[in-house]
Amino acid sequence: MEERPKIEIMDTTLRDGEQTNGVSFVPREKLMIARLLLEDLKVDRIEVASARVSDGELNAVRMICEWAARRNYLSRVEVLGFVDGNVSVDWIYSAGCRVINLLTKGSEKHCRCQLKKTLDAHVRDILEVVRYAHSRGMDVNVYLEDWSNGIKDSPEYVFGLIDGLRESGIKRFMLPDTLGILNPLQVIEYMRKMRKRYPELHFDFHAHNDYDLAVSNVLAAVLCGVKGLHTTLNGLGERAGNAPLASVQAILKDHFHAITNIDETRLNDVSRVVESYSGISIPPNKPIVGESVFTQVAGVHADGDNKNNLYCNDLLPERFGRVREYALGKTSGKANIRKNLESLGLELDEEAMKKVTERIIELGDRKELVTQEDLPYIISDVLKHEGDANRVKLLSYFVTLAKGLKPMATLSIEIDGQIYEESSSGNGQYDAFVRALRKIYKTTLNRKFPMLTNYAVTIPPGGRTDALVQTVITWRHEDREFRTRGLDADQTEAAIKATIKMLNMIEDKTNN
């Protein structure tokens, strides 16, 4: 039986990932991400900063290293340093870190044009830094910057560099495709040369995604016996980014049967934290962590899932702490709708199912987004029972907006057959409406009113600015978070529809 490869994962979200245009983590965010990477995801190593960047970066590294030392993780925290005599080593050491990732020139062109030095002179400078770091009790890894161009255009330079360093006690030789120029066939060719010439050395591979080949190149490197891989969460990184951890992990496990220490069940949650801190949204179709990747749209797929999971692969959402969903829209069949009804604990006869399916297809043709939360209201509308089913009914409302005056709202609402009226001002028309509602619930009824935690307005996919707008509101009520949506040509009206949906959901839950 072939031995399964053991792959070491080094995540560089906090260093290379922070080089994404517009991304900057504050020290406490860096500490939180470091903790999630090491404790929750269980990556083997993390690269957290570059030396000499700023005082803020120094403070961030100190915070991370102090925390890591208390948990015996210090040997797994690394900082990028430079061939600058003692300067980088002293900076990193003073921050409490004990591993330096030394940036050296991995191509003859970089060495000659940027440093204006010969290979022998560069090797001497590197060895000086390595010896000094070792004298301070630090481990040293080296990056061969621009290795991909180096091994392609000046292989004798690359071999000369490693020959000069291989006996110096360097722990890992890290081979980056700095400009993202390689394809998988080239990675196989060049990595095999490296492994054949230096079978005793530990090689890491560091991919960039300029040609959208980072994941493919990483896996080609694994085929050739590389021992370590560099990743980032959500594929953050310079230019087009680095190889995303979630994708690399899934393919390593499913296609190579490789062994890693990664806890897959935490990938989605940690990716969302990094999405929030970085401000870089995860595309909905991004493998593993995208919002839509475990959503079946076609009705035939839902039908197949009902019949022995015919449309499922090894990427089961439960592996990653997620659940499979079934979209509702113009391609929905009855199977999709039944799946959503099952989740809600609802059941319809065949005639009712036919009517509900027709209505959802009609809404889909109009580009309206139908959600699982909408289903009870669609059912009520289709079966002509909406008037009886809704415990909260907005009878009328009036909002004003005048220059120099705060917006005002007056509303009349029926709750369980009782009519209430209230008025309020606010910072906007919708805010005034919600304040009036809150008065009814908190002052008149002495009940809790949900907290609005997020408010987003979009044009539905394929929509136009003169068509419907979609308002999605996230609410928190009694430690439960949920979303409601409203569609209308008017943004305020769409938000009000979403709010009335929310109130009915709460009333239904209270009644049950």
Side-chain angles (χ1 to χ4, degrees):
M1 183 176 178
E2 187 178 351
E3 185 178 354
R4 297 169 62 191
K6 174 71 172 74
I7 304 298
E8 188 177 79
I9 301 294
M10 191 275 264
D11 188 273
T12 183
T13 300
L14 296 175
R15 200 276 299 173
D16 207 341
E18 197 178 26
Q19 291 175 200
T20 307
N21 184 34
V23 173
S24 179
F25 300 118
V26 301
R28 292 205 172 273
E29 289 174 340
K30 280 203 162 192
L31 175 60
M32 176 59 73
I33 294 170
R35 292 173 63 173
L36 291 171
L37 283 166
L38 289 175
E39 290 200 318
D40 287 44
L41 287 180
K42 297 178 173 53
V43 301
D44 298 284
R45 301 148 47 207
I46 57 173
E47 188 176 45
V48 301
S50 297
R52 301 164 27 202
V53 169
S54 66
D55 289 340
E57 198 77 332
L58 183 64
N59 291 334
V61 178
R62 279 179 177 154
M63 289 171 62
I64 292 169
C65 289
E66 287 171 2
W67 168 82
R70 292 195 298 270
R71 285 161 173 77
N72 201 30
Y73 295 152
L74 193 56
S75 63
R76 297 162 61 184
V77 177
E78 304 169 5
V79 173
L80 181 76
F82 308 96
V83 182
D84 53 12
N86 301 346
V87 181
S88 285
V89 173
D90 287 342
W91 191 98
I92 294 168
Y93 189 89
S94 69
C97 184
R98 296 296 179 263
V99 183
I100 179 172
N101 291 341
L102 190 60
L103 190 69
T104 69
K105 296 302 180 183
S107 69
E108 187 274 336
K109 187 175 182 181
H110 267 226
C111 185
R112 173 171 47 85
C113 296
Q114 194 167 33
L115 298 183
K116 302 190 184 305
K117 292 196 173 187
T118 64
L119 170 60
D120 289 343
H122 188 37
V123 169
R124 285 195 299 271
D125 292 342
I126 295 168
L127 289 174
E128 179 187 340
V129 177
V130 172
R131 284 192 289 266
Y132 181 66
H134 285 161
S135 75
R136 304 212 68 176
M138 298 174 68
D139 287 334
V140 180
N141 306 316
V142 293
Y143 273 110
L144 275 63
E145 185 182 20
D146 199 38
W147 167 81
S148 47
N149 273 313
I151 193 66
K152 183 161 66 78
D153 301 330
S154 51
E156 292 309 314
Y157 170 90
V158 174
F159 299 148
L161 178 62
I162 297 181
D163 288 344
L165 301 176
R166 65 193 297 186
E167 302 297 334
S168 63
I170 290 169
K171 196 167 185 179
R172 300 176 184 88
F173 288 81
M174 306 193 293
L175 310 177
D177 182 11
T178 303
L179 300 179
I181 62 164
L182 296 181
N183 64 51
L185 294 178
Q186 291 172 312
V187 172
I188 290 172
E189 177 187 353
Y190 301 141
M191 198 63 73
R192 281 179 175 167
K193 286 182 180 180
M194 300 295 290
R195 292 277 297 134
K196 183 177 180 180
R197 186 177 178 108
Y198 306 105
E200 81 283 6
L201 296 184
H202 175 119
F203 289 119
D204 279 4
F205 182 64
H206 177 109
H208 277 267
N209 203 36
D210 296 69
Y211 282 96
D212 206 17
L213 289 170
V215 174
S216 300
N217 287 341
V218 157
L219 300 167
V222 171
L223 276 175
C224 300
V226 76
K227 295 181 180 178
L229 298 174
H230 296 190
T231 64
T232 61
L233 288 163
N234 305 338
L236 295 178
E238 188 89 24
R239 303 183 312 278
N242 294 43
L245 174 58
S247 298
V248 170
Q249 166 61 23
I251 300 174
L252 283 176
K253 182 174 180 179
D254 294 357
H255 290 265
F256 289 83
H257 307 292
I259 301 169
T260 71
N261 291 324
I262 301 300
D263 183 349
E264 293 183 340
T265 64
R266 299 291 292 131
L267 277 168
N268 185 63
D269 289 342
V270 177
S271 290
R272 294 295 163 189
V273 171
V274 171
E275 177 185 43
S276 174
Y277 287 172
S278 67
I280 304 296
S281 298
I282 299 173
N285 63 341
K286 191 172 186 67
I288 314 303
V289 295
E291 185 176 5
S292 302
V293 295
F294 295 116
T295 301
Q296 300 280 37
V297 175
V300 66
H301 292 172
D303 180 62
D305 286 351
N306 279 330
K307 298 170 180 175
N308 202 27
N309 293 325
L310 298 181
Y311 290 91
C312 293
N313 57 23
D314 288 339
L315 294 173
L316 297 175
E318 292 78 13
R319 275 176 61 180
F320 310 104
R322 304 185 62 183
V323 295
R324 192 171 303 283
E325 297 178 353
Y326 295 86
L328 299 167
K330 66 181 180 181
T331 60
S332 297
K334 287 189 287 187
N336 267 34
I337 297 167
R338 285 197 192 282
K339 284 282 190 181
N340 282 277
L341 290 173
E342 286 173 11
S343 298
L344 294 170
L346 299 174
E347 189 174 342
L348 295 178
D349 60 37
E350 283 302 316
E351 184 60 29
M353 277 294 300
K354 181 180 177 182
K355 292 179 180 178
V356 170
T357 302
E358 288 172 354
R359 175 60 60 86
I360 289 173
I361 292 171
E362 174 195 334
L363 289 168
D365 277 334
R366 291 164 51 195
K367 300 293 186 185
E368 295 191 24
L369 177 61
V370 182
T371 70
Q372 190 180 85
E373 291 91 343
D374 294 326
L375 265 179
Y377 304 100
I378 294 173
I379 292 168
S380 294
D381 179 52
V382 167
L383 302 182
K384 307 303 180 186
H385 296 315
E386 183 172 313
D388 297 329
N390 283 353
R391 297 174 63 192
V392 179
K393 302 171 188 174
L394 182 63
L395 303 180
S396 63
Y397 75 92
F398 178 72
V399 293
T400 62
L401 180 64
K403 184 177 180 180
L405 297 174
K406 272 197 164 188
M408 291 287 301
T410 300
L411 63 90
S412 175
I413 193 167
E414 181 181 320
I415 304 172
D416 287 336
Q418 183 70 38
I419 296 174
Y420 302 90
E421 295 182 356
E422 191 57 81
S423 298
S424 183
S425 62
N427 295 321
Q429 291 174 309
Y430 177 65
D431 183 57
F433 178 86
V434 171
R435 286 172 184 263
L437 265 183
R438 191 179 288 116
K439 280 185 182 180
I440 293 172
Y441 271 77
K442 297 186 75 171
T443 305
T444 306
L445 299 176
N446 194 28
R447 291 173 54 184
K448 288 183 179 179
F449 192 82
M451 178 184 295
L452 188 156
T453 60
N454 195 27
Y455 180 102
V457 178
T458 59
I459 299 171
R464 305 181 308 278
T465 54
D466 61 348
L468 294 170
V469 295
Q470 174 183 264
T471 302
V472 182
I473 306 179
T474 305
W475 308 91
R476 177 164 289 278
H477 182 65
E478 295 179 347
D479 296 325
R480 172 182 172 235
E481 193 167 82
F482 60 96
R483 292 179 297 174
T484 55
R485 292 168 169 82
L487 271 85
D488 197 87
D490 179 80
Q491 177 182 325
T492 301
E493 178 72 13
I496 289 172
K497 286 180 177 179
T499 305
I500 299 302
K501 283 185 181 182
M502 173 273 294
L503 293 175
N504 274 294
M505 289 175 71
I506 290 173
E507 294 295 336
D508 289 343
K509 186 181 177 187
T510 302
N511 193 40
N512 292 333

